[in-house]
């Protein structure tokens, strides 16, 4: 362990003068300079170095180099996927709960099938399957329009049916697909939560509303659905916690998210001009992500506790 | 129909890897979780808060990151620790490391379940046992343990099923050695061969569903045994398929 510690101090740091600034600031390979986040020219302020010494200067330079800025920027993918996944999941959850509560029997069976099959299968499987299947479906639809029979025959047994039908997915499209598949998976959980919450609304209140002369529709929308949120909140907060944790899977869909960047940044870094800048540091970067998710969970818990208190005002018996 | 049957046959062996990961980590996780829950519920403030922190950290972060973190940690300790002691073949092997991380993870989730059960134990029964002159250990053996198990069993079953689902993540993070592929790996490989996503992933999903249902069936047998003291007249509770915990 001691030896490991020793070698983890960047060698560039040791060979003094101007050498290490260059290394600290140009950790990104030349190819990376074209990246939007690259800022190879910026140097930390000199007065900061005067006060805190060169160590701080080194770390500022290291943590502020282009690749690190790209890593910080990639947190947006995680946040966006969580937010849109949650919104879509809420949509699927409301739809699924509607199916579960439908009077028409086949609809009810469809709702049960959705809720139980999605939950009986690992979320990773859906997460990978849905974007693939959707892509293939679109490519098949395009191919029925643009492909000539000869081209299809020539490429038999491979996909897409012909090269014109190929749909290239960029990060944005993958992010959308990832959000939708998160929505489908967690929609199944949400459907159950909402279904339970609808049942938890006190029957007496609904009967009272009916007695006051509200129509069935009014009772449903103005009383049952509105009251339902209070009872659904604990369950929804649970689902949200699951969802933020599964946003770590984005890198499986080629999205350059925080996990992928952590892997890239932590890998042993060798620059021809400076030698080995640092050995394998991946576990440090993963440790940062580990802590990041714990903080995210903590903040969500706090947020939901606050929300529950606010929404629960005036509710006598809570769920 | 034939491709479907072929897939079922091809995926039979990979499914054993998922079953292995679950079967190897669950007993270990169970023992550790019971110990951790007891520490969490103990009167020792330091022990309780340390156990609480462990549970919070492992439940609050994704298993995916945990696997990556422990694997890269094991890799960076390889040259200084594992190699000189001749342990690298074991520690860096996914069949060991994957099981190890899964066990750490399931320990946290199960400990939370057992802790919840410990907190709702009927106070009176424990007091009665103490009043009868049973020692601390006897009280645990005769009152706390069976009650805790009964209360926690339905939730623990769900945890087991989800741990089984989580075994898919092992080979997304750890290296795949030769033909040691689990269900998702193999389904992905088959997909790359003929691009038939619907067939291969559905068969993999069927395997997961079938094994999950088998777990519920077995767990129900155990639960019935645990609830043996309830006479036939009383309605016997059943383990319900209501997964709540996921990673």
């Amino acid at each position: 362990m001691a030896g490991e510690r020793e070698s983890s101090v960047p060698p560039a740091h040791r060979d003094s003068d101007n050498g290490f600034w260059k290394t600290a600031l140009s950790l990104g390979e030349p190819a990376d300079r074209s990246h939007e986040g690259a800022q190879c020219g910026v140097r930390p302020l000199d007065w900061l170095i005067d006060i805190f010494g060169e160590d701080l200067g080194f770390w500022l330079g290291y943590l502020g180099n282009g690749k690190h800025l790209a890593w910080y920027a990639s947190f947006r993918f995680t946040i966006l996927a969580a937010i849109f996944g949650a919104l879509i999941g809420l949509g699927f959850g409301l739809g699924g709960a509607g199916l579960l509560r439908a009077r028409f029997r086949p609809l009810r069976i469809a709702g049960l099938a959705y809720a139980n099959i999605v939950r009986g299968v690992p979320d990773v499987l859906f997460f990978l399957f849905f974007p693939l299947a959707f892509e293939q479906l679109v490519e098949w639809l395009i191919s029925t329009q643009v492909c000539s029979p000869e081209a299809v025959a020539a490429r038999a047994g491979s996909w897409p049916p012909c090269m014109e039908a190929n749909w290239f997915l960029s990060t944005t499209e993958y992010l959308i697909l990832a959000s939708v598949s998160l929505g489908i998976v967690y929609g199944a959980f949400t459907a159950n939560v909402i279904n339970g919450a609808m049942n938890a609304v006190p029957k007496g209140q609904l009967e009272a509303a009916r007695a006051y002369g509200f129509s069935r529709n009014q009772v449903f929308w103005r009383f049952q659905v509105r009251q339902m949120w209070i009872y659904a909140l604990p369950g929804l907060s649970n689902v949200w916690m699951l969802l933020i944790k599964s946003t770590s899977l984005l890198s499986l869909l080629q999205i350059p998210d925080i996990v992928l960047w952590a892997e890239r940044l932590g890998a042993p870094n060798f620059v021809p001009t400076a030698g080995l800048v640092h050995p394998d540091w991946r576990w440090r970067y993963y440790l940062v992500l580990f802590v990041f998710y714990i903080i995210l969970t903590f903040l969500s818990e706090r947020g939901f506790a606050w929300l529950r208190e606010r929404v629960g005002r005036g509710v006598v018996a809570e769920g | 129909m034939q491709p479907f049957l072929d897939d079922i046959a091809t995926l039979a062996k990979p499914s054993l890897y998922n079953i292995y990961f679950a079967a190897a980590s669950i007993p270990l996780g169970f023992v550790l979780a019971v110990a951790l829950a007891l520490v969490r519920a103990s009167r020792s403030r330091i022990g309780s808060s340390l156990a609480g922190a462990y549970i919070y950290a492992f439940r609050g972060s994704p298993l995916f990151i945990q696997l990556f973190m422990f694997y890269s940690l094991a890799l960076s300790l390889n040259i200084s620790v594992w190699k000189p002691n001749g342990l690298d073949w074991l520690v860096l092997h996914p069949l060991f490391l994957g099981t190890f991380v899964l066990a750490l993870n399931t320990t946290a989730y199960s400990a939370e379940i057992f802790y919840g059960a410990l907190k709702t134990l009927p106070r009176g029964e424990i007091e009665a046992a103490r009043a009868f002159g049973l020692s601390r250990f006897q009280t645990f053996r005769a009152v706390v343990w069976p009650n805790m198990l009964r209360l926690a069993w339905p939730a623990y079953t769900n945890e087991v099923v989800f741990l089984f689902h989580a075994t898919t993540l092992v080979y997304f993070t750890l290296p795949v050695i030769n033909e040691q592929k689990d269900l998702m790996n193999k389904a992905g490989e088959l997909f790359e061969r003929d691009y038939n996503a619907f067939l291969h992933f559905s068969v993999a999903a069927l395997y997961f569903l079938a094994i999950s249902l088998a777990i519920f069936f077995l767990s129900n047998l155990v639960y019935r045994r645990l609830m043996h003291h309830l006479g036939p007249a009383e309605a016997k509770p059943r383990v319900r398929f209501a997964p709540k915990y996921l990673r």
Side-chain angles (χ1 to χ4, degrees), chain A residues 273-287:
Chain A
T273 52
L276 188 67
V277 179
H278 64 70
D280 191 351
W281 274 6
R282 273 178 295 180
W283 68 270
R284 300 174 186 216
Y285 286 90
Y286 289 129
L287 190 64

Side-chain angles (χ1 to χ4, degrees), chain B residues 135-182:
Chain B
S135 73
R136 277 188 164 278
F137 178 74
Q138 283 172 322
T139 312
F140 175 76
R141 177 72 195 74
V143 180
V144 177
W145 168 252
N147 264 326
M148 181 191 80
L149 215 53
R150 255 173 232 140
L151 284 169
W153 196 257
Y156 184 69
T157 304
N158 279 311
E159 159 58 21
V160 169
V161 169
F162 273 105
L163 182 89
F164 174 65
H165 288 179
T167 56
T168 43
L169 288 176
V170 173
Y171 279 126
F172 279 112
T173 47
L174 305 185
V176 179
I177 299 175
N178 303 327
E179 269 306 297
Q180 298 178 6
K181 292 179 174 164
D182 75 342

Side-chain angles (χ1 to χ4, degrees), chain B residues 207-225:
Chain B
Y207 263 102
F208 280 109
L209 266 179
I211 298 173
S212 306
L213 289 177
I215 294 173
F216 274 104
F217 176 74
L218 289 177
S219 150
N220 237 328
L221 292 184
V222 176
Y223 196 50
R224 212 171 295 164
R225 181 101 184 80

Side-chain angles (χ1 to χ4, degrees), chain B:
Chain B
M1 200 60 202
Q2 193 54 43
F4 179 74
L5 295 176
D6 285 347
D7 258 24
I8 288 184
T10 329
L11 288 176
K13 189 178 157 243
S15 75
L16 292 180
Y17 283 93
N18 292 88
I19 294 172
Y20 160 76
F21 280 120
S25 54
I26 284 167
L28 186 60
F30 180 81
V31 174
L32 290 175
V34 171
L36 196 66
L38 288 174
V39 174
R40 177 89 177 90
S42 74
R43 247 178 262 135
S44 148
R45 189 166 287 174
I46 302 170
S48 176
S49 52
L50 277 180
Y54 177 87
I55 293 171
Y56 196 85
F58 277 82
R59 292 181 76 230
S61 62
L63 175 64
F64 196 57
I65 304 275
Q66 288 162 19
L67 280 163
F68 269 131
M69 192 172 75
F70 281 99
Y71 178 55
S72 52
L73 195 61
L75 268 184
S76 69
L77 292 178
N78 188 24
I79 290 172
S80 57
V81 182
W82 314 130
K83 260 254 164 68
N85 295 313
L87 284 171
D88 53 328
W89 62 271
L90 173 71
V91 175
L92 293 180
H93 202 291
L95 290 182
F96 171 81
L97 197 65
T99 312
F100 176 73
V101 181
L102 284 172
L104 288 185
N105 187 278
T106 189
T107 298
Y109 281 86
S110 322
E112 180 70 16
I113 293 168
F114 292 138
Y115 173 62
L118 280 177
K119 276 205 306 191
T120 48
L121 281 186
R123 270 262 151 272
E125 290 192 20
I126 298 171
E127 278 162 16
R130 295 292 288 161
F132 267 114
L134 268 64
S135 73
R136 277 188 164 278
F137 178 74
Q138 283 172 322
T139 312
F140 175 76
R141 177 72 195 74
V143 180
V144 177
W145 168 252
N147 264 326
M148 181 191 80
L149 215 53
R150 255 173 232 140
L151 284 169
W153 196 257
Y156 184 69
T157 304
N158 279 311
E159 159 58 21
V160 169
V161 169
F162 273 105
L163 182 89
F164 174 65
H165 288 179
T167 56
T168 43
L169 288 176
V170 173
Y171 279 126
F172 279 112
T173 47
L174 305 185
V176 179
I177 299 175
N178 303 327
E179 269 306 297
Q180 298 178 6
K181 292 179 174 164
D182 75 342
L183 278 170
M184 279 302 287
N185 279 128
K186 197 69 185 173
E189 184 196 303
L190 292 174
F191 167 76
E192 273 160 24
R193 229 177 266 164
D194 62 0
Y195 302 98
N196 193 341
F198 288 89
L199 174 67
H200 304 311
F201 285 113
S202 310
V203 175
L206 270 184
Y207 263 102
F208 280 109
L209 266 179
I211 298 173
S212 306
L213 289 177
I215 294 173
F216 274 104
F217 176 74
L218 289 177
S219 150
N220 237 328
L221 292 184
V222 176
Y223 196 50
R224 212 171 295 164
R225 181 101 184 80
L226 286 175
M227 291 299 183
H228 208 61
H229 61 292
L230 294 182
E234 292 161 87
K236 285 195 180 172
R238 287 172 55 86
V239 176
R240 277 188 57 242
F241 181 57
K244 271 201 191 114
Y245 303 92
L246 241 179
R247 307 177 155 75

Side-chain angles (χ1 to χ4, degrees), chain A residues 7 19 78 104 216 239 271 290:
Chain A
S7 67
T78 306
F104 186 49
R216 257 179 213 292
V239 176
V271 180
F290 184 69

Side-chain angles (χ1 to χ4, degrees), chain A residues 65-299:
Chain A
N65 71 25
K67 277 195 169 184
H68 277 82
L69 292 181
W71 182 39
Y72 308 143
S74 68
F75 275 85
R76 70 184 185 278
F77 294 127
T78 306
I79 310 279
L80 282 177
I83 292 172
F84 286 110
L87 290 178
I88 297 168
L90 204 54
F92 271 96
L94 287 170
L99 287 180
L100 282 174
R101 304 178 67 76
R103 287 220 193 92
F104 186 49
R105 199 175 164 156
L107 285 183
R108 215 159 53 228
I109 290 171
L112 273 174
Y114 166 60
N116 286 311
I117 289 177
V118 171
R119 293 190 313 171
V121 163
D123 54 345
V124 196
L125 203 150
F126 261 90
F127 196 72
L128 288 180
F129 169 75
F130 173 75
L132 276 176
F134 188 77
E135 186 188 356
Q136 287 202 340
L137 194 69
V138 171
E139 284 179 334
W140 178 76
L141 282 176
I142 300 173
S143 77
T144 56
Q145 302 301 315
V146 300
C147 290
S148 61
E150 299 83 54
V152 175
R155 280 179 61 82
S158 68
W159 194 269
C162 70
M163 283 322 283
E164 291 81 39
N166 188 25
W167 181 31
F168 176 74
L169 289 160
S170 66
T171 300
T172 318
E173 277 110 26
Y174 269 126
L175 194 63
I176 295 170
L177 288 178
S179 305
V180 175
S181 41
L182 282 178
I184 294 177
V185 173
Y186 292 105
F189 288 79
T190 312
N192 272 306
V193 169
I194 290 179
N195 188 27
M198 292 288 270
N199 292 335
V201 177
K203 289 276 169 301
Q205 293 191 11
L206 305 179
E207 281 161 15
R210 280 292 284 159
Y212 268 103
F214 287 96
S215 74
R216 257 179 213 292
N217 246 330
Q218 282 174 324
V219 170
F220 179 76
W221 288 110
R222 295 194 192 174
F223 294 86
Q224 200 169 9
V225 172
R226 233 177 253 183
Q227 294 275 56
M228 170 272 282
W229 291 111
I230 301 162
Y231 299 98
L233 212 52
L236 290 181
S237 94
N238 217 348
V239 176
W240 166 253
M241 305 288 181
L242 307 177
L243 190 136
I244 50 177
K245 277 185 267 170
S246 54
T247 54
S248 63
L249 300 175
L250 290 180
S251 60
L252 296 180
L253 290 179
Q254 326 297 330
I255 297 171
D257 76 330
I258 48 178
V259 182
L260 205 72
W261 274 110
E263 158 99 49
R264 283 186 200 165
L265 287 164
N269 195 335
F270 184 83
V271 180
T273 52
L276 188 67
V277 179
H278 64 70
D280 191 351
W281 274 6
R282 273 178 295 180
W283 68 270
R284 300 174 186 216
Y285 286 90
Y286 289 129
L287 190 64
V288 170
L289 293 185
F290 184 69
V291 174
F292 165 73
Y293 274 103
I294 293 171
I295 293 173
L296 207 57
T297 305
F298 177 75
L299 291 179

